[in-house]
């Protein structure tokens, strides 16, 4: 598996009836044919994606574009929004995020645990539940992909709301929570969140109990090394093979500290 660029291992079905091709020099503009009509990739076409570009369209929003060819590579279609493809590119990894030389403990790849800086870790960018970009520790991509694939085989969609966070990102979330700003949930002090060392995954399970994804995770996640570790946060799972095994053997999906 290509952990940092999972899309290279797959082909994708075009499901949008109006899957327009973009102009390579300006992906926000549409390509026209000689008659002035939008160029499109026909719905039902199976394509491969051989390159990806992300265009930011707002502070926390973006469009992921893919460069599409036929599956055998003989025909080049061009750039199109990955939202036109089955699955909308959710859970695809779209590139490695490596630490810059000399990056600091507050840099984008800096890992922390229990208030201490651990070092720089390799990350990969991944498309989340809202089609925004999150990052995960590269070392957790394969187990997460295995979890996603097993759920998919049971007809259940596992998607991410939050993965790895840098120190400044955790600080932003903690400050917003402390100040009671709208849209901010409980967030640990910067340096203390397991979202800063790559083991924490916030998975979309709206409503908790009864949510099909949550019910599936309760039954199966521990077999894939994922365990629930925070009270009142049914969405927060951690990739921790040892604690997941203990939970599995105890007939639960949670660590002992979780009370609700
Ligand atoms: Zn979390």
């Amino acid at each position: 598996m290509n952990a940092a660029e999972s899309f290279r291992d797959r082909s994708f079905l075009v499901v949008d009836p109006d899957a327009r091709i973009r102009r390579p020099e300006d992906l926000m503009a549409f390509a026209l044919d000689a008659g002035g009509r939008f160029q499109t990739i026909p719905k039902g076409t199976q394509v491969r994606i051989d390159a990806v570009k992300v265009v930011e369209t707002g502070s926390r929003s973006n469009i992921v574009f893919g460069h599409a060819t036929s599956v055998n590579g003989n025909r080049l279609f061009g750039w199109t929004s990955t939202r036109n493809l089955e699955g909308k590119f959710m859970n695809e990894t779209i590139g490695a995020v490596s630490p810059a030389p000399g990056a600091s403990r507050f840099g984008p790849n800096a890992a922390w645990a229990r208030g201490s800086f651990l070092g720089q870790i390799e990350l990969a960018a991944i498309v989340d539940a809202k089609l925004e970009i999150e990052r995960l520790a590269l070392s957790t991509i394969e187990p997460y992909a295995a979890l996603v694939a097993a759920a998919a085989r049971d007809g259940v969609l596992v998607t991410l709301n939050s993965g790895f966070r840098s120190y400044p990102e955790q600080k932003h979330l903690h400050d917003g929570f402390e100040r009671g700003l709208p849209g901010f949930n409980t967030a640990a002090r910067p340096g203390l969140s397991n979202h800063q060392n790559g083991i924490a995954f916030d998975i979309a399970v709206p409503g908790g109990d009864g949510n099909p994804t949550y019910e599936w995770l309760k039954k199966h996640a521990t077999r894939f090394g994922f365990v629930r570790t925070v009270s009142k946060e049914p969405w927060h799972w951690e990739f921790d093979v040892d604690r997941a095994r203990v939970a599995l053997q105890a007939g639960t999906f949670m660590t002992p500290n979780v009370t609700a």
Side-chain angles (χ1 to χ4, degrees), residues 27-163:
L27 294 178
M28 296 308 285
F30 299 111
L32 303 178
D33 66 16
R37 291 174 297 258
F38 293 124
Q39 285 183 268
T40 59
I41 309 174
K43 183 180 172 180
T45 305
Q46 199 77 25
V47 298
R48 279 196 185 280
I49 300 298
D50 64 8
V52 160
K53 282 184 190 170
V54 178
V55 175
E56 288 189 21
T57 56
S59 64
R60 258 296 264 159
S61 57
N62 48 255
I63 302 177
V64 179
F65 293 100
H67 189 254
T69 71
S70 59
V71 169
N72 62 17
N74 288 347
R75 179 155 177 214
L76 191 157
F77 293 108
W79 290 96
T80 196
S81 166
T82 57
R83 296 175 188 193
N84 296 324
L85 308 176
E86 189 172 36
K88 300 180 188 297
F89 244 46
M90 257 183 248
N91 288 318
E92 297 299 336
T93 53
I94 58 170
V97 182
S98 298
S104 86
R105 62 185 55 205
F106 305 115
N109 292 71
W112 291 70
R114 298 183 186 87
S116 297
F117 171 59
L118 302 178
Q120 308 289 343
I121 63 172
E122 290 284 338
L123 304 171
I126 186 166
V127 179
D128 78 4
K130 300 188 183 79
L131 307 183
E132 293 163 357
I133 311 297
E134 305 294 334
R135 285 150 298 135
L136 290 178
L138 194 61
S139 59
T140 66
I141 298 290
E142 290 200 26
Y144 177 67
L147 182 79
V148 168
R153 285 192 291 274
D154 290 341
V156 171
L157 181 63
V158 168
T159 56
L160 202 60
N161 274 329
S162 189

